[in-house]
Amino acid sequence: MLDPSATIREVSNLLESAPDGASVRLRPGRYSVSFHLTRSLALVSDGEPGSAWIDVEDDSAVIVSGGECRVFGLRLTSRRQASDMAARFHPGAVEIEEGSLLLEECVIQGWSNGVVAKGPDSRLVMQRSEVRTVARFGVHIHSGASARLTHSDFASSRGSAIVLEGPDASVQLGDCTVNDSAGHGIEVIHSSPVIERCSVRGCENSGIAVSGPAAMPTVQDCEISGVKGHGIQVIDGAGGRYLGNSVKSVGQHGIAVGGRGTHPEIVGNDISQARVGISFNDGATGSATRNTISDCGVPIFIVGAKTLPVLSGNTKDGPTVVDPTAIEFGLQF
């Protein structure tokens, strides 16, 4: 059992002496000490979820570098700021360098990133947790790390709320909500996650953005609304399957596909209230079948195509526009 008056040495000694698999209980209050977990341990709130608060100035609140670890019911904050906000990789309030971490019923805030899992020997499982008010990314999974994020909420990131980056990792995202991100809601870069039943609202950029030839995600049964960019954007040679999603009230295109070699399969989506329902731009191909498109400026728009995408069984309230010479059609891609 720990109380908020615990010193760095006391915390370190307890973590080193606890047997594998032990639970360390934290009494309610504010802790200003970073917890570095090197083997299988659990950190558990001894009160209501959020009543024990790890709030650290110059380090991550929790660092995992080994074992199978669990953090339950804690509030986790890091006030450490990245020295170069233009850099791609930043520290997180929670960092997984090696080993696995289950975050359950936690609230995470960071002056840089929220949660970072990096490297092929790292795994994050997050459920029934919140990541909010972070200066960069809410969650960043990269360099081969794997993750499963379920029933969690992500809000008010100054960058993209969730970034899934790099091939060769198993990533699943289900039943999560993303609100009010200043970047993309969910950003997929050279990765092939499964994203199901997620809700994305109010982002400054696209709801879900997919890029890179190694990106082959499955995005299914998601709801995207009120974003200022595209509902779903697929570019730079990416593929993947986009099935049964609802996209409405977006600032640009419902589903925007761009770039030579880009080849998504777009099936059974319901798209409404966008400047363009589905667009294929700059030589992109792929297929769009059995989609329902309504109340859009142009239902389906194809520009710069040498090979037309496969279009079949779409229900729409206007004609498909094919312009092989225009680059922009007066619309922002």
Side-chain angles (χ1 to χ4, degrees):
M1 182 77 72
L2 283 172
D3 62 55
S5 64
T7 64
I8 293 175
R9 176 169 292 183
E10 288 170 337
V11 169
S12 179
N13 288 342
L14 179 59
L15 296 180
E16 288 177 5
S17 62
D20 281 356
S23 291
V24 177
R25 305 192 73 83
L26 280 67
R27 290 194 174 99
R30 180 178 176 271
Y31 297 76
S32 57
V33 177
S34 177
F35 285 69
H36 190 173
L37 307 179
T38 60
R39 53 203 174 82
S40 300
L41 293 172
L43 302 178
V44 181
S45 173
D46 196 49
E48 293 295 320
S51 62
W53 177 21
I54 302 175
D55 182 20
V56 181
E57 290 286 342
D58 297 317
D59 204 346
S60 299
V62 174
I63 302 170
V64 175
S65 58
E68 297 180 0
C69 301
R70 176 175 177 251
V71 177
F72 178 81
L74 301 184
R75 182 179 175 188
L76 307 168
T77 303
S78 172
R79 300 175 187 272
R80 175 174 57 173
Q81 297 186 12
S83 57
D84 180 8
M85 287 305 293
R88 183 70 188 169
F89 302 106
H90 296 280
V94 176
E95 290 230 15
I96 308 167
E97 300 172 344
E98 187 176 324
S100 67
L101 174 63
L102 167 60
L103 282 171
E104 192 170 10
E105 295 191 23
C106 291
V107 176
I108 299 103
Q109 295 174 283
W111 271 234
S112 183
N113 285 333
V115 183
V116 175
K118 54 187 178 181
D121 297 320
S122 299
R123 176 168 173 77
L124 168 67
V125 177
M126 177 186 294
Q127 53 195 36
R128 298 189 301 278
S129 292
E130 269 183 68
V131 180
R132 63 191 186 197
T133 318
V134 295
R136 186 64 173 170
F137 303 141
V139 170
H140 192 183
I141 310 298
H142 67 86
S143 304
S146 59
R148 180 164 57 87
L149 314 178
T150 60
H151 300 282
S152 294
D153 300 327
F154 305 84
S156 303
S157 297
R158 294 181 189 172
S160 298
I162 300 170
V163 179
L164 311 174
E165 183 169 5
D168 304 324
S170 171
V171 178
Q172 296 174 297
L173 181 62
D175 300 291
C176 292
T177 63
V178 175
N179 291 295
D180 303 324
S181 166
H184 301 299
I186 302 169
E187 188 173 1
V188 178
I189 306 167
H190 298 295
S191 184
S192 300
V194 176
I195 302 172
E196 298 178 298
R197 301 178 305 279
C198 291
S199 172
V200 182
R201 296 187 179 92
C203 298
E204 292 293 317
N205 213 316
S206 296
I208 299 175
V210 180
S211 63
M216 296 287 290
T218 297
V219 179
Q220 185 166 3
D221 298 330
C222 294
E223 296 183 0
I224 301 165
S225 64
V227 302
K228 292 185 178 180
H230 305 303
I232 299 173
Q233 181 184 47
V234 188
I235 60 172
D236 295 339
R241 306 172 73 223
Y242 305 83
L243 314 172
N245 302 289
S246 171
V247 180
K248 63 182 180 181
S249 302
V250 300
Q252 295 298 327
H253 303 186
I255 301 179
V257 184
R260 300 189 191 284
T262 305
H263 57 290
E265 180 183 349
I266 303 168
V267 181
N269 301 278
D270 190 347
I271 302 167
S272 63
Q273 300 174 20
R275 298 181 72 183
V276 173
I278 301 173
S279 64
F280 294 88
N281 184 69
D282 193 24
T285 58
S287 63
T289 60
R290 303 193 304 276
N291 300 284
T292 299
I293 306 168
S294 62
D295 197 17
C296 295
V298 177
I300 299 177
F301 179 64
I302 304 169
V303 58
K306 291 188 176 180
T307 301
L308 291 177
V310 175
L311 306 177
S312 175
N314 298 295
T315 301
K316 49 194 175 67
D317 55 6
T320 296
V321 175
V322 180
D323 186 344
T325 58
I327 297 204
E328 199 59 24
F329 189 61
L331 297 169
Q332 177 183 339
F333 183 78

